[in-house]
Amino acid sequence: MKGFGIHTSLWAMDWTTEGAEKAIAEAQKYPLDFIEIALLDPPSVDAAHTRYLLERAELPAVTSLGLPEEAWASVRPAEAIAFLEDALDKTAAIGAWALSGVVYGGIGERTGKPPTEAELDNVARVLQHTAKYAKNLGLELGIEPVNRYETHIMNTGWQAADMIDRVGAENMFIHLDTYHMNIEEKGAANGILDTREHLKYIHLSESDRGVPGAGTCDWNEIFAALAAIGFTGGLAMESFINLPPQIASGLSVWRPVADSAEQVMNDGLPFLRNKAIQYGLIPK
Amino acid sequence: MKGFGIHTSLWAMDWTTEGAEKAIAEAQKYPLDFIEIALLDPPSVDAAHTRYLLERAELPAVTSLGLPEEAWASVRPAEAIAFLEDALDKTAAIGAWALSGVVYGGIGERTGKPPTEAELDNVARVLQHTAKYAKNLGLELGIEPVNRYETHIMNTGWQAADMIDRVGAENMFIHLDTYHMNIEEKGAANGILDTREHLKYIHLSESDRGVPGAGTCDWNEIFAALAAIGFTGGLAMESFINLPPQIASGLSVWRPVADSAEQVMNDGLPFLRNKAIQYGLIPK
Amino acid sequence: MKGFGIHTSLWAMDWTTEGAEKAIAEAQKYPLDFIEIALLDPPSVDAAHTRYLLERAELPAVTSLGLPEEAWASVRPAEAIAFLEDALDKTAAIGAWALSGVVYGGIGERTGKPPTEAELDNVARVLQHTAKYAKNLGLELGIEPVNRYETHIMNTGWQAADMIDRVGAENMFIHLDTYHMNIEEKGAANGILDTREHLKYIHLSESDRGVPGAGTCDWNEIFAALAAIGFTGGLAMESFINLPPQIASGLSVWRPVADSAEQVMNDGLPFLRNKAIQYGLIPK
Amino acid sequence: MKGFGIHTSLWAMDWTTEGAEKAIAEAQKYPLDFIEIALLDPPSVDAAHTRYLLERAELPAVTSLGLPEEAWASVRPAEAIAFLEDALDKTAAIGAWALSGVVYGGIGERTGKPPTEAELDNVARVLQHTAKYAKNLGLELGIEPVNRYETHIMNTGWQAADMIDRVGAENMFIHLDTYHMNIEEKGAANGILDTREHLKYIHLSESDRGVPGAGTCDWNEIFAALAAIGFTGGLAMESFINLPPQIASGLSVWRPVADSAEQVMNDGLPFLRNKAIQYGLIPK
């Protein structure tokens, strides 16, 4: 996966056939190299339909998810494995390159304590099994550290790198997100530096999840660090606006953080592309 | 309240007589103009003892709190009022200048939906009553917006300003926190600009709640904006390290974000003071 | 003068009738509120023609200049006054609002020593006379501090404010430039804070004089400070590319700092406008 | 050369025996790993005395210079070579590691035009000869690009890298300076990224040449980029205050940019060291 992509939740929260059609049609209006599809409910996705749309649009894809509470890897490893296998089958069926995201747990999973060794062991075993399953399907498996409020399992780049070392699977990679890095890393670049061996995908998301370029993220530092490590992976813009209640709750977005999807695309995407060009990450 | 102060949780999480003695003794080792005392359990505080220690040290104080779930203002206004009256009595008894913080709710309070008018009305009525109660004690009452994960009631400076307008009490003020602003504001200065009429207190807290100067907060922009509005209130450094489990849970800090209190004081305080001098906020 | 404008040197270095026609035609292609016209050689300007073009385009204008060596105010006050009177006459004749820039000296004027009291006195007397002359024409007179290499007379905002105090003319104002501030001020906002009483015009110029948004200027801090002081003056984008040798020499630009005028307008102007919107300086 | 060092002009502008004694005595008061000695007039330096002082203090050293007008490499290559051979002999005699700085020309050298091929050829031939001469002495030879006002020959990192490629000498390296990068590079990190193959030395100098940490340089981006490329060279703090007239003229510093050498050392050095630690460039 390379170049600029976008998380399709900007246009469709549910990946129904209608949602898929709308999102892919919208994505084609912009200079995008790939899309990310949220597999919140893998069985409900019509893989053949999505595959057809993606091939027609010549758009590569990545899928992503967070686990539902009944399948959190830290406490329900068997259920996590079953859920992830389904998601990987669907990912392969739609012709995507990888499954990524909070594949190790739930968005909002917190015990009120630091992660225990037992929890981390469960996560590692789930990932080990799942990575192997993904490999047999020709897929890569990504893990995305998220901020302290969304999980207690993995908040920083170096924690994700530790987990990859623990698992030892060759087809695993790290997926960072600038929104979370802005909270968790001691300087935006540190997340990138700590994961340079494994970083293949990054969410470019503003500090309030609104329009990239209009927040507190230090984009100069972020793009400088990406350029410095020779990053060639996917740059996925992500913004959450006008969310339905069930999603807003998980992400805790209580107000519109952008005026519209058009604002995100027309202001945010050129801003990010110009920064990528400024630091030599993509050609002019 | 003016000059540089510190949130005493750096040295003492519980404001017992031992905690008070330790915290005030530590604070006196540094060039500080005031301290902030967390009133997590107002009845347990020995006000006369604290007052004696503060007077002996010639240290002004501010108290702060978040409401326990059984007294959240949005849903249990009567209980909130009772709790806040106790806290104000104690604040007056120890000789502090104001009670501030998340006085409108709980740290971690979220319904999964945006705040309703009914919730905001309850909050406004609690604050109206409480501000009057504070006024009779000669105290000021502050409200601190915190990030989306810690409350759904009030996340930004402009929401706090709206609430003050709604309440209409003269002895209320806004208390910002750079850690929360880094997540919620569209540029660090915007929180300051949106609250300039009411801003009297600010927590200077790094993006990961670690050592100020070693994170993603844009301190130049923050101090420039404070200088620009002619801010003359209290600058309270805040850092949370090595928290006991019950507090770590509320704040979701799962790993040490600083090596020690000494690191916070020896690296963070000079950094912040020099920035304040650079932008003319305090004299050389 | 208010809103967004542009220094027309982007399209025409010499303000001949051809240059004027080209520059104004280009300016009209973009959402601009005014233009700045360099009066490098006042007698050569066809004022009636420029006035006609400006009125037809409904474009307000500002003129600007640096003094030629034979008329440096610090050492040749009489010649400076004569030159500036000509420039003001021309400014009035074309219907512009003000004359501004390095009206106190030459771009490249340096004695190798700090400015002497005698030099500053000469400058002050020239400005006093010139401001009165401008007033009789209904014009404002601006002074622009520039970096240490371009003059030894006035490098910072506070030095410009000191000069205004020394002169005491009501129709004088300060004109800052972000390119120079990036070199001279202790934090980009400080130039703005130090001149808030007199600031009516600002050059938005990137750190290398290339495309705004693709350099080292801290635009968040700059726009935050402008918003904080309630700036309502002119925001003039300035970029120097592909300069003719005689100008390149004065400004010391030895290589193209942008690909084209189109890049400056299509990437730089939207970047600056979005930053101005982000900080509430202009409406959405 | 590695770790933190300092340009000794902070304490002594002339490297007389008195200047050397003062500067080395001052340097020893701080946690410094090396010093930089300006060889403005090589024949006047008592090499044996300096060597003795350095060995006693166990302080490694680097020498640096700019060429006098009668020996500018672009136009007087033979004279440049003679001057540089003298400087290298002296550098070897005092036991320093390298000669660096504006060894290719004068500080203030400008023709008013971009560098010609003939000028660059002369520079390249001088450097080729000089690098070989240095090699025979066991020395490295550095080149420092400086801003457009101080030379027209070489302003950016990529121009320095081009020159090294042109010369093809193995013992040459690039020496950057954050003060110049802040003016010339399209983002502070770009100078570092463009020179990563050859970068062995960097001046950490604030945007106004005052106290590091109190200006417009983006230190987060700078240290992030240094860490990202695995920089292990010398970090030399540089600040120019209270200069004698002849030096102030070359550097165009017309006012004190810091209160004192103590302020530079006590505020600037800890700031820079903490940033280096934050990004993992030096150990805690």
Side-chain angles (χ1 to χ4, degrees):
Chain A
M1 200 54 44
K2 54 189 296 184
F4 266 90
I6 191 154
H7 193 298
T8 50
S9 64
L10 190 66
W11 298 299
M13 288 312 305
D14 290 316
W15 201 255
T16 56
T17 54
E18 292 76 20
E21 278 164 16
K22 182 184 175 199
I24 291 173
E26 288 290 335
Q28 286 187 274
K29 297 180 185 171
Y30 301 95
L32 293 170
D33 303 304
F34 67 88
I35 61 170
E36 178 174 333
I37 298 168
L39 281 193
L40 298 179
D41 181 26
S44 73
V45 171
D46 180 340
H49 177 253
T50 293
R51 183 179 204 120
Y52 164 75
L53 295 175
L54 290 171
E55 287 180 351
R56 196 177 58 176
E58 295 180 33
L59 263 182
V62 179
T63 60
S64 64
L65 56 74
L67 296 174
E69 186 158 3
E70 60 272 20
W72 286 356
S74 61
V75 285
R76 296 183 178 271
E79 290 82 353
I81 286 171
F83 192 94
L84 290 167
E85 287 182 356
D86 277 358
L88 284 164
D89 289 339
K90 200 64 87 169
T91 297
I94 69 175
W97 158 71
L99 171 69
S100 191
V102 190
V103 300
Y104 55 83
I107 296 173
E109 174 184 355
R110 293 185 295 172
T111 58
K113 293 184 200 142
T116 63
E117 275 307 298
E119 289 173 326
L120 294 175
D121 269 350
N122 278 341
V123 167
R125 273 183 294 116
V126 167
L127 291 175
Q128 200 159 35
H129 176 95
T130 306
K132 189 178 292 179
Y133 192 91
K135 195 174 183 187
N136 289 336
L137 293 168
L139 296 174
E140 303 263 327
L141 178 69
I143 52 173
E144 179 189 14
V146 294
N147 76 65
R148 58 190 67 183
Y149 301 101
E150 297 194 4
T151 186
H152 69 299
I153 298 288
M154 192 186 298
N155 304 135
T156 65
W158 60 263
Q159 288 174 315
D162 278 0
M163 181 56 72
I164 296 234
D165 289 345
R166 194 165 183 154
V167 174
E170 280 175 20
N171 65 325
M172 277 186 67
F173 65 90
I174 294 176
H175 159 177
L176 291 177
D177 182 313
T178 56
Y179 165 78
H180 300 297
M181 292 157 66
N182 193 49
I183 300 172
E184 299 296 342
E185 302 290 347
K186 290 185 175 294
N190 276 321
I192 295 165
L193 299 185
D194 290 345
T195 60
R196 61 195 299 167
E197 302 299 326
H198 302 292
L199 184 63
K200 292 194 183 174
Y201 197 73
I202 187 165
H203 278 169
L204 303 176
S205 182
E206 193 43 275
S207 51
D208 68 345
R209 283 186 149 142
V211 184
T216 68
C217 281
D218 191 332
W219 295 105
N220 284 11
E221 185 178 339
I222 290 165
F223 280 102
L226 289 173
I229 67 161
F231 181 76
T232 56
L235 300 153
M237 192 163 74
E238 185 185 53
S239 181
F240 294 107
I241 58 173
N242 300 317
L243 297 173
Q246 70 275 27
I247 306 291
S249 174
L251 298 175
S252 297
V253 179
W254 316 119
R255 64 187 189 280
V257 290
D259 294 341
S260 64
E262 286 68 34
Q263 187 192 27
V264 172
M265 296 307 293
N266 294 336
D267 292 348
L269 185 57
F271 174 85
L272 292 173
R273 290 186 70 89
N274 281 339
K275 282 290 161 198
I277 291 168
Q278 181 186 343
Y279 287 94
L281 205 63
I282 61 171
K284 276 184 199 178
Chain B
M1 200 54 45
K2 56 189 297 186
F4 266 90
I6 192 154
H7 193 298
T8 50
S9 64
L10 190 67
W11 297 299
M13 288 311 306
D14 292 316
W15 201 255
T16 56
T17 54
E18 293 76 20
E21 279 164 15
K22 181 184 176 201
I24 290 173
E26 288 291 336
Q28 287 187 273
K29 296 180 184 170
Y30 301 95
L32 293 170
D33 303 304
F34 66 89
I35 61 170
E36 179 175 333
I37 298 168
L39 280 193
L40 298 179
D41 180 26
S44 73
V45 171
D46 180 341
H49 176 252
T50 293
R51 183 179 203 121
Y52 164 75
L53 294 176
L54 290 171
E55 287 179 352
R56 195 177 59 177
E58 295 180 33
L59 262 182
V62 179
T63 61
S64 64
L65 56 74
L67 296 174
E69 186 158 2
E70 59 273 20
W72 286 356
S74 61
V75 285
R76 296 183 178 272
E79 290 82 351
I81 285 172
F83 192 93
L84 290 167
E85 287 183 356
D86 277 359
L88 284 163
D89 288 341
K90 201 63 87 169
T91 298
I94 68 176
W97 159 71
L99 172 68
S100 191
V102 189
V103 300
Y104 54 83
I107 295 173
E109 174 185 355
R110 292 185 295 172
T111 58
K113 295 184 199 139
T116 63
E117 276 305 299
E119 289 173 325
L120 294 174
D121 269 350
N122 277 341
V123 167
R125 274 183 293 115
V126 168
L127 291 175
Q128 201 159 35
H129 176 95
T130 307
K132 188 177 293 180
Y133 192 90
K135 195 173 182 188
N136 289 336
L137 293 168
L139 296 174
E140 302 262 327
L141 179 69
I143 52 173
E144 179 190 13
V146 294
N147 75 65
R148 58 191 67 184
Y149 301 102
E150 297 194 4
T151 185
H152 70 299
I153 298 288
M154 191 186 298
N155 304 136
T156 65
W158 61 264
Q159 287 174 316
D162 278 0
M163 182 55 73
I164 296 233
D165 290 344
R166 193 165 184 152
V167 174
E170 280 175 21
N171 65 325
M172 278 185 67
F173 64 91
I174 294 176
H175 159 177
L176 290 177
D177 182 312
T178 55
Y179 166 77
H180 300 298
M181 291 156 66
N182 193 49
I183 300 171
E184 299 296 343
E185 302 290 347
K186 290 186 175 293
N190 276 321
I192 294 165
L193 299 186
D194 290 345
T195 60
R196 60 195 300 167
E197 302 299 326
H198 303 293
L199 184 63
K200 292 194 184 175
Y201 196 73
I202 187 165
H203 278 167
L204 303 175
S205 182
E206 193 43 275
S207 51
D208 68 344
R209 283 185 149 142
V211 184
T216 70
C217 280
D218 191 332
W219 295 105
N220 284 11
E221 185 178 339
I222 290 164
F223 280 102
L226 289 173
I229 67 161
F231 180 77
T232 56
L235 300 152
M237 191 163 76
E238 185 184 55
S239 181
F240 294 107
I241 57 173
N242 300 317
L243 297 174
Q246 70 275 28
I247 305 291
S249 175
L251 298 175
S252 297
V253 179
W254 315 119
R255 64 187 190 280
V257 290
D259 293 341
S260 64
E262 286 69 33
Q263 187 193 26
V264 172
M265 297 307 293
N266 294 336
D267 292 348
L269 185 57
F271 173 85
L272 292 173
R273 291 187 68 90
N274 281 339
K275 282 289 161 199
I277 291 168
Q278 181 186 343
Y279 287 95
L281 205 64
I282 61 172
K284 276 183 199 180
Chain C
M1 202 52 44
K2 54 190 296 185
F4 266 91
I6 191 153
H7 193 299
T8 51
S9 64
L10 190 67
W11 297 299
M13 287 311 306
D14 291 316
W15 200 255
T16 57
T17 53
E18 293 75 24
E21 279 164 16
K22 182 184 174 198
I24 291 173
E26 288 290 335
Q28 286 187 274
K29 296 180 184 170
Y30 302 95
L32 293 170
D33 303 305
F34 67 89
I35 62 170
E36 179 175 332
I37 298 169
L39 281 192
L40 297 180
D41 180 26
S44 72
V45 171
D46 181 340
H49 176 253
T50 294
R51 183 178 203 120
Y52 165 75
L53 295 175
L54 290 171
E55 287 179 351
R56 196 178 58 178
E58 295 180 33
L59 263 182
V62 180
T63 60
S64 64
L65 56 73
L67 296 174
E69 185 158 3
E70 59 271 21
W72 286 355
S74 60
V75 284
R76 295 183 178 271
E79 291 81 351
I81 285 172
F83 192 94
L84 290 167
E85 287 183 357
D86 277 358
L88 284 163
D89 288 339
K90 201 64 88 171
T91 299
I94 68 177
W97 158 71
L99 172 68
S100 191
V102 189
V103 300
Y104 54 82
I107 296 172
E109 174 185 355
R110 292 184 297 172
T111 58
K113 295 185 199 138
T116 64
E117 276 306 298
E119 289 173 324
L120 295 174
D121 269 350
N122 278 341
V123 167
R125 272 182 296 116
V126 167
L127 292 175
Q128 201 159 34
H129 176 95
T130 306
K132 190 177 293 179
Y133 192 90
K135 196 174 182 187
N136 289 336
L137 293 168
L139 296 174
E140 303 261 328
L141 179 68
I143 51 174
E144 179 189 14
V146 294
N147 75 66
R148 59 190 67 183
Y149 300 101
E150 297 193 4
T151 186
H152 70 298
I153 299 288
M154 192 187 297
N155 304 136
T156 64
W158 62 263
Q159 288 174 315
D162 278 359
M163 181 55 73
I164 295 234
D165 290 345
R166 194 165 182 152
V167 175
E170 280 176 19
N171 64 325
M172 278 187 65
F173 65 91
I174 294 176
H175 159 176
L176 291 178
D177 182 313
T178 55
Y179 166 77
H180 300 297
M181 293 156 66
N182 193 50
I183 300 172
E184 299 296 343
E185 303 290 348
K186 290 186 174 295
N190 275 321
I192 295 165
L193 299 186
D194 290 345
T195 61
R196 60 195 300 167
E197 302 298 327
H198 302 292
L199 184 64
K200 292 195 183 174
Y201 197 73
I202 187 165
H203 278 168
L204 303 175
S205 183
E206 193 42 276
S207 51
D208 67 345
R209 283 187 149 142
V211 184
T216 69
C217 281
D218 191 331
W219 295 106
N220 284 11
E221 185 178 338
I222 289 165
F223 281 102
L226 288 173
I229 68 161
F231 181 77
T232 57
L235 301 153
M237 191 162 76
E238 186 185 53
S239 181
F240 294 107
I241 57 172
N242 299 317
L243 297 174
Q246 71 275 26
I247 306 291
S249 174
L251 298 176
S252 297
V253 178
W254 315 119
R255 64 186 190 281
V257 291
D259 294 340
S260 64
E262 286 70 34
Q263 187 192 27
V264 172
M265 296 307 293
N266 294 335
D267 292 349
L269 185 57
F271 173 85
L272 291 173
R273 290 186 69 90
N274 281 339
K275 282 288 160 199
I277 291 168
Q278 182 186 343
Y279 286 95
L281 204 62
I282 61 171
K284 276 184 198 179
Chain D
M1 199 54 44
K2 55 190 295 184
F4 266 91
I6 192 154
H7 193 298
T8 51
S9 65
L10 189 68
W11 297 299
M13 287 311 305
D14 291 316
W15 201 254
T16 57
T17 53
E18 293 75 21
E21 278 164 15
K22 182 183 175 201
I24 291 173
E26 288 291 335
Q28 286 187 275
K29 297 180 185 170
Y30 301 95
L32 294 169
D33 303 304
F34 66 89
I35 62 170
E36 179 175 332
I37 298 169
L39 280 192
L40 298 179
D41 180 26
S44 72
V45 171
D46 181 340
H49 177 252
T50 294
R51 183 178 204 123
Y52 165 75
L53 294 176
L54 290 171
E55 287 179 351
R56 195 179 57 179
E58 294 181 33
L59 262 182
V62 179
T63 60
S64 63
L65 56 74
L67 296 174
E69 185 158 3
E70 59 272 20
W72 287 354
S74 60
V75 284
R76 296 183 178 271
E79 291 81 352
I81 285 172
F83 193 94
L84 291 166
E85 287 183 357
D86 277 359
L88 284 163
D89 288 341
K90 201 65 86 169
T91 298
I94 69 176
W97 158 71
L99 172 69
S100 191
V102 189
V103 299
Y104 55 83
I107 296 173
E109 174 184 356
R110 291 184 296 171
T111 58
K113 295 185 199 139
T116 64
E117 276 306 298
E119 289 173 326
L120 295 174
D121 269 349
N122 278 340
V123 168
R125 272 181 297 115
V126 168
L127 292 175
Q128 201 159 35
H129 176 95
T130 307
K132 190 178 292 178
Y133 192 91
K135 195 173 183 188
N136 289 336
L137 292 168
L139 296 174
E140 303 262 328
L141 179 68
I143 51 173
E144 178 189 15
V146 294
N147 74 65
R148 57 190 69 183
Y149 302 101
E150 297 194 4
T151 186
H152 70 298
I153 298 289
M154 192 186 297
N155 306 135
T156 64
W158 62 263
Q159 288 175 315
D162 278 0
M163 181 55 72
I164 296 233
D165 289 345
R166 195 165 183 152
V167 174
E170 279 176 21
N171 64 323
M172 277 186 66
F173 64 91
I174 294 176
H175 159 178
L176 291 177
D177 182 313
T178 55
Y179 165 77
H180 300 296
M181 291 156 66
N182 193 49
I183 299 172
E184 299 296 343
E185 302 291 347
K186 290 185 175 295
N190 275 322
I192 296 165
L193 300 185
D194 290 345
T195 60
R196 60 195 301 168
E197 302 299 326
H198 303 292
L199 184 64
K200 292 196 183 174
Y201 197 72
I202 187 164
H203 278 169
L204 303 175
S205 183
E206 193 43 275
S207 51
D208 68 345
R209 283 186 149 143
V211 184
T216 69
C217 281
D218 191 331
W219 295 106
N220 285 11
E221 184 178 340
I222 290 165
F223 280 102
L226 289 173
I229 67 161
F231 180 78
T232 56
L235 301 152
M237 191 162 76
E238 186 185 51
S239 181
F240 293 107
I241 57 172
N242 300 318
L243 297 174
Q246 70 274 27
I247 306 291
S249 175
L251 299 176
S252 296
V253 179
W254 316 120
R255 65 187 189 280
V257 292
D259 294 340
S260 64
E262 286 69 34
Q263 187 193 27
V264 172
M265 297 307 293
N266 294 335
D267 292 349
L269 185 56
F271 173 86
L272 292 173
R273 291 186 69 90
N274 281 339
K275 283 288 161 198
I277 292 168
Q278 181 186 343
Y279 286 95
L281 205 63
I282 60 171
K284 277 184 196 179

